[in-house]
Amino acid sequence: MKLLEHKNENHQEIFKMELEQEELEEMLDGAYQHLVKEVDIDGFRKGKAPRDVLERRVGKDGLFDHAMKEYLPVMIDEMMVENKISAYVNPTVSVISRGPVVFEAIVPLPPDITLGDYNSIKMKPSPVEISGNEIEEVLKQAQRQEADLVVTNAPAEMEDVLVIDVDSDVEGMPYISAKGDMFQPKPGLRFPAPGFSEELLGMKAGDEKEFTLKLPDTFNTEMAGKDAHFHVKVNDVRREVLPELNDDFARKLDPDSDGIEAVRQNVHDNLKLRAEAQENKIFEDKVIDALVEKSQIAFPPVLLKSEVERMIREYVDRVRNSTNSEEEFNSIIKSTEMDKLHETYRPQAELRVKRNLVVSKVVDIEKVEVDEADVDMQIAAITAGPRDQIKSQTERTDYLNKPENREALRWWLIADKAKQLLVDKAKAD
């Protein structure tokens, strides 16, 4: 193997290497020896087909690709040992040329972190206040959960529930057809088409209406961007009738309640606990960000790339959980400019990486540890929660007790302990 170029930049070692012909032949022969035992070839028992016959079956490129995939990582490992290089995560290897075979290996190096003086960080969390409006909004949601839907002769408004018949087509092709379905108009609802909710406003029981709406260009069907013609009949309009906020309502929510004022106090206390937990997280982030500002941090680009990709997955999950259908989900994802999303997430992803790195350095300096009993208690707390439909408590406990999962939980507990240490130091007078 011939070294063509070696440089250190952006906290990674970059090697450009050329394979000797003898090395290439050895790798191709090794790939042949492996594949010939796996591939079925007419007229030959497994492991007995000649190499030229195998190459006709999988292609020379297929044999070459298999050889590179199997043996280049081994060669990179040997090269790192020889050069006394420690990779922080797995190196990336790419073939630049096939004749001669030239490849590039990028070895991410462990981060360099010089912590600032975290003992000098001093600040206080903001006080938490709960307004009466917040309490009343929670009570209003409770009222809505106990509300009756009453048929009304009034014109339909947003958030009413309409029982409708719908027929529709797109250039003669059937689109949405339903009889007696319930539909709740909401602002900005995109399904079955943008503007559908608004078209129903003002309609009364017995009213019929025809209208045309354009489907989004991002709609994930052949109907994207085309006009949809709708015929809608409203069978009835139903409106929420909220129960009174009184002691009877309080006892309906909680048979042991001392009345509506006691419920208000419970709501206040719960909101305050939630707000304090949120403020504690905000304060924790401020303390860690202050330490990031005081520290010198260098890390390989792969960490930032991985964090951006994690944030993209989180975004996709949020979209999936917030949409009402697969079509709506696909429509939104299709219209998302992923390149712009990557750029949007980069600053926050970089901050996440730096936060994690300074916390890990605090763990090292302060020698933060947790006992096996702490991990056991965390597993017990997780499995004591609501069970899902698939895994029993025993199955979930067994899953969490796998070595790799226990280690992940251990690190989470250690990091949490280190964060609390920083918070306590910041609050100390």
Side-chain angles (χ1 to χ4, degrees), residues 124-247:
K124 297 290 183 185
S126 301
V128 170
E129 298 291 340
I130 304 300
S131 70
N133 287 339
E134 292 176 274
I135 296 171
E136 294 308 312
E137 182 56 35
V138 173
L139 291 174
K140 180 61 70 67
Q141 292 299 323
Q143 284 178 288
R144 284 177 174 161
Q145 290 177 4
E146 299 294 332
D148 293 323
L149 281 177
V150 177
V151 175
T152 176
N153 292 322
E157 299 176 359
M158 285 291 183
E159 308 293 343
D160 284 344
V161 175
L162 282 63
V163 180
I164 59 175
D165 299 337
V166 183
D167 282 309
S168 61
D169 68 86
V170 177
E171 296 181 354
M173 295 184 294
Y175 180 43
I176 300 292
S177 180
K179 296 288 185 183
D181 274 14
M182 288 189 175
F183 182 83
Q184 187 174 35
K186 292 184 178 181
L189 196 63
R190 294 168 57 87
F191 190 81
F196 186 84
S197 288
E198 288 74 10
E199 289 287 347
L200 302 186
L201 301 184
M203 295 183 71
K204 298 180 180 180
D207 286 354
E208 298 187 40
K209 186 176 183 180
E210 293 191 31
F211 51 90
T212 299
L213 297 170
K214 183 179 179 181
L215 299 178
D217 292 332
T218 55
F219 218 58
N220 196 31
T221 72
E222 68 278 7
M223 299 178 180
K226 297 180 179 179
D227 289 338
H229 179 75
F230 293 90
H231 178 272
V232 177
K233 179 184 177 183
V234 175
N235 297 319
D236 62 51
V237 178
R238 302 176 185 181
R239 187 159 296 168
E240 287 182 334
V241 176
L242 303 181
E244 275 190 68
L245 279 176
N246 54 27
D247 290 346

Side-chain angles (χ1 to χ4, degrees), residues 281 284 356 359 363 368-370 374-375 377-379 381-382 404-420:
K281 180 66 175 89
E284 177 184 280
N356 291 336
V359 169
V363 169
V368 181
E369 296 179 353
V370 295
D374 295 322
V375 180
M377 287 176 62
Q378 186 62 37
I379 291 174
I382 293 172
E404 64 273 20
N405 294 330
R406 282 187 68 89
E407 191 56 35
L409 281 173
R410 185 196 315 280
W411 171 249
W412 182 83
L413 290 169
I414 288 172
D416 194 57
K417 199 171 178 180
K419 292 174 187 177
Q420 190 59 50

Side-chain angles (χ1 to χ4, degrees), residues 175-176 189-192 219 319-333:
Y175 180 43
I176 300 292
L189 196 63
R190 294 168 57 87
F191 190 81
F219 218 58
V319 172
R320 185 176 294 280
N321 292 332
S322 66
T323 50
N324 298 315
S325 67
E326 192 68 18
E327 284 186 331
E328 186 181 359
F329 167 76
N330 289 331
S331 174
I332 294 173
I333 293 300

Side-chain angles (χ1 to χ4, degrees), residues 84-136:
K84 298 179 180 177
I85 297 173
S86 297
Y88 188 64
V89 294
N90 288 335
T92 58
V93 185
S94 55
V95 175
I96 300 172
S97 166
R98 296 194 176 202
V101 176
V102 176
F103 65 91
E104 182 182 70
I106 300 177
V107 184
L109 299 176
D112 283 335
I113 308 153
T114 304
L115 281 188
D117 181 10
Y118 49 85
N119 290 298
S120 67
I121 298 172
K122 301 297 177 185
M123 59 181 74
K124 297 290 183 185
S126 301
V128 170
E129 298 291 340
I130 304 300
S131 70
N133 287 339
E134 292 176 274
I135 296 171
E136 294 308 312

